[in-house]
Amino acid sequence: VVPAVAILAQGSALAKSSRSLPQPPQPSPPTMRATLVLPVAMASVLRGANDNVVVDTTAAQQFTFLRSSANATGGPPDCGDKYDKLPDFTKEYGATLTNTVCTHPGYKTSCKVFDETLQCWFRKMVTGHCDDLPSLFKKRNKKLVEDCNNPDTDHLDIWMTHFTEAEKSYWRQNFKAQADNSKLFDTMNKLIPKQLLCSTLHIVDDKCVKYDAVRTQEAR
């Protein structure tokens, strides 16, 4: 039986080794999939080869592990204005992000841990008006929602298929530049990269933002 500490240590090492977007060279599909299943490896119950219960890891323990990894080094990210400085409906919109993009069961714990960090990025985007990027809601919303909810697509699919060159440039200048100096942003980008990218495009398409919830209705 592998000790739980060893399993978590392996998960931490894998998170550190996984890459952030955009950053060549691109790994092979098996490597990408291995990176994306990290949260699944931290399920509430870790089991041995014969399906015997090894240790019961509580949600609090999972939160502690992920938070300690996220806050290991680096300064705090720039979150832009606080909600009380933004339009009233902005906070309501931010509260819908996690439930909209974190539909895969294997990522629900990670998404809960990084919900506040995801909303930090959201506030940063809204404060800067997304650098006036145009909404492409009518053009891509249906396919975007399908791909974001499809467990067979990953963050590279979202990046290559849905991001425009202007949006890629915005990402590099605003998020990636912060992730290079903020362990919190960097870890979020490694553990929930697809969910992070999907959130970013939803925010842009919702006019950064003019609504009180993420719009997905036309994709149903």
Side-chain angles (χ1 to χ4, degrees), residues 156-175:
L156 287 178
D157 295 322
I158 302 300
W159 178 258
M160 299 302 296
T161 303
H162 295 286
F163 271 71
T164 66
E165 289 304 315
E167 289 164 345
K168 289 178 180 178
S169 178
Y170 172 81
W171 172 267
R172 294 186 184 101
Q173 294 174 15
N174 291 273
F175 183 90

Side-chain angles (χ1 to χ4, degrees), residues 131-179:
D131 283 2
D132 296 322
L133 288 169
S135 170
L136 299 178
F137 179 87
K138 292 183 178 180
K139 179 179 179 180
R140 70 179 168 199
N141 181 256
K142 182 175 182 179
K143 180 61 175 173
L144 176 64
V145 173
E146 289 175 355
D147 287 346
C148 288
N149 289 336
N150 184 354
D152 293 328
T153 64
D154 60 25
H155 59 296
L156 287 178
D157 295 322
I158 302 300
W159 178 258
M160 299 302 296
T161 303
H162 295 286
F163 271 71
T164 66
E165 289 304 315
E167 289 164 345
K168 289 178 180 178
S169 178
Y170 172 81
W171 172 267
R172 294 186 184 101
Q173 294 174 15
N174 291 273
F175 183 90
K176 185 63 170 63
Q178 286 211 68

